[in-house]
Amino acid sequence: MFKRKNFNELEETIREITTSDGSEGLKYGLKNELKFLIKKASFLLKADLLVNEEDKAAKELEKIETEFEMRKHDLFADSEYQMLKNRQTKIRKPQEQPLEEDVPNNKEWDACKFSLLRDLAACRLTLFNGRRGGEPCRLTLQEWMDAAEDKWLNPDEIDRIKDPIERELIKKTKIAFQTGKGSNRLVSVLIPQDCIDAVTVLSKPDIRTIGGIPTSNKYLLPFTQQSLDHPSGYYCVNRIANMAGIQDTMKMTATPSKHTFCTA
């Protein structure tokens, strides 16, 4: 697929599989997801080529990426337009409107504010848990829902806790579990009280729609712009550290943070 001489065939294939003969017409959701899939596949392939020191092939892939960027507007303009049109139409329908009491919280939202709140939450969770940046950012909506409903807490064990401080912490903290490095074990992610409201907002379907998050994005802390992926925790922490005026942001990574927490 990633050969310049095959680009015309790629365009024809995309148009063919995203066009329906029935009443549905353009499968704009599928077409939009294919755009991101191609870009991600190209990124991963390029990384593999560089690791294997296939510099010539990696350079050729860069030319293909440039060609894709130059021609993607003509190829995906119809799906992008339809996505935007449907999103704007959907949120204007009365049955899709949020409850009146929620309007003051939602009316000022946009993708920029969504991404800022996401980065703040990702930074807080990463540093609070002393995790690698990618771990809290990989939390899914389902994992958050399980945490919000206290599915990982055993009521019988909680009843046996005598320390009032521990009992209070359990009431104010949510615990989620996700796969760790290597995906062969579960690791915990503690969600402190000051972060619960933020992740609750980030999980709301209406807020995610306004933020440009597709319904098929499973992540609690997702990318905007109709992406199906999540951001890098490192960049979230780095962005917030810069905004906070941290002098040496390069040290705001997993290893120094873990060392600080372990020796504090």
Side-chain angles (χ1 to χ4, degrees):
M1 180 178 74
F2 291 106
K3 293 183 179 179
R4 280 185 287 171
K5 65 179 182 179
N6 294 338
F7 201 90
N8 289 333
E9 286 78 2
L10 174 63
E11 286 186 332
E12 291 177 8
T13 302
I14 291 174
R15 289 193 174 98
E16 182 177 344
I17 64 177
T18 57
T19 302
S20 174
D21 295 332
S23 58
E24 295 181 0
L26 175 67
K27 300 177 182 178
Y28 57 88
L30 173 62
K31 193 171 186 179
N32 210 51
E33 290 185 14
L34 281 174
K35 176 179 65 175
F36 290 106
L37 180 62
I38 291 170
K39 293 177 71 173
K40 185 171 183 178
S42 174
F43 175 82
L44 294 175
L45 177 59
K46 186 176 180 180
D48 190 55
L49 292 173
L50 292 173
V51 168
N52 293 320
E53 298 184 353
E54 298 181 41
D55 296 341
K56 185 176 180 180
K59 199 70 176 178
E60 179 64 21
L61 185 57
E62 286 184 3
K63 296 179 181 179
I64 298 171
E65 291 174 336
T66 300
E67 183 178 7
F68 181 78
E69 288 298 318
M70 294 173 67
R71 299 175 64 173
K72 72 176 183 180
H73 177 73
D74 291 336
L75 180 57
F76 296 101
D78 53 353
S79 62
E80 291 174 350
Y81 167 77
Q82 194 63 44
M83 290 283 289
L84 179 61
K85 178 184 176 183
N86 279 24
R87 185 164 69 247
Q88 295 297 328
T89 302
K90 182 178 180 181
I91 64 176
R92 283 169 172 77
K93 291 180 178 178
Q95 61 269 31
E96 298 294 338
Q97 297 297 312
L99 298 176
E100 187 174 347
E101 57 267 27
D102 291 335
V103 171
N105 297 324
N106 295 352
K107 65 180 181 180
E108 298 297 334
W109 279 95
D110 57 26
C112 292
K113 292 180 180 178
F114 184 96
S115 63
L116 176 58
L117 181 62
R118 176 204 64 207
D119 289 353
L120 285 165
C123 179
R124 173 63 169 151
L125 292 176
T126 300
L127 297 181
F128 182 80
N129 287 274
R131 293 292 184 194
R132 296 178 180 85
E135 289 180 356
C137 281
R138 288 203 313 272
L139 273 174
T140 65
L141 287 168
Q142 185 59 54
E143 289 165 346
W144 156 243
M145 290 172 61
D146 289 344
E149 296 172 6
D150 295 328
K151 289 188 175 181
W152 290 102
L153 297 179
N154 187 333
D156 294 333
E157 293 294 333
I158 295 175
D159 290 339
R160 296 191 185 99
I161 297 175
K162 303 301 181 183
D163 190 326
I165 296 179
E166 287 188 28
R167 295 182 67 89
E168 190 66 19
L169 284 174
I170 289 176
K171 290 180 182 179
K172 295 182 177 180
T173 305
K174 299 297 182 181
I175 181 169
F177 277 88
Q178 62 176 172
T179 54
K181 187 177 181 181
S183 300
N184 58 353
R185 62 189 179 90
L186 291 177
V187 295
S188 62
V189 177
L190 297 178
I191 304 172
Q193 185 181 27
D194 57 22
C195 207
I196 291 176
D197 286 347
V199 295
T200 300
V201 169
L202 293 171
S203 67
K204 288 184 176 181
D206 53 338
I207 296 295
R208 291 169 73 90
T209 298
I210 295 171
I213 315 301
T215 55
S216 51
N217 189 312
K218 65 180 181 179
Y219 296 106
L220 175 65
L221 306 173
F223 267 133
T224 56
Q225 299 182 352
Q226 300 301 317
S227 172
L228 299 178
D229 213 337
H230 62 81
S232 163
Y234 168 78
Y235 290 107
C236 293
V237 173
N238 189 262
R239 177 190 181 189
I240 301 305
N242 278 303
M243 292 177 66
I246 303 298
Q247 293 183 358
D248 195 350
T249 58
M250 296 303 295
K251 292 183 179 179
M252 299 289 287
T253 57
T255 302
S257 297
K258 286 182 178 180
H259 179 74
T260 300
F261 298 146
C262 291
T263 57

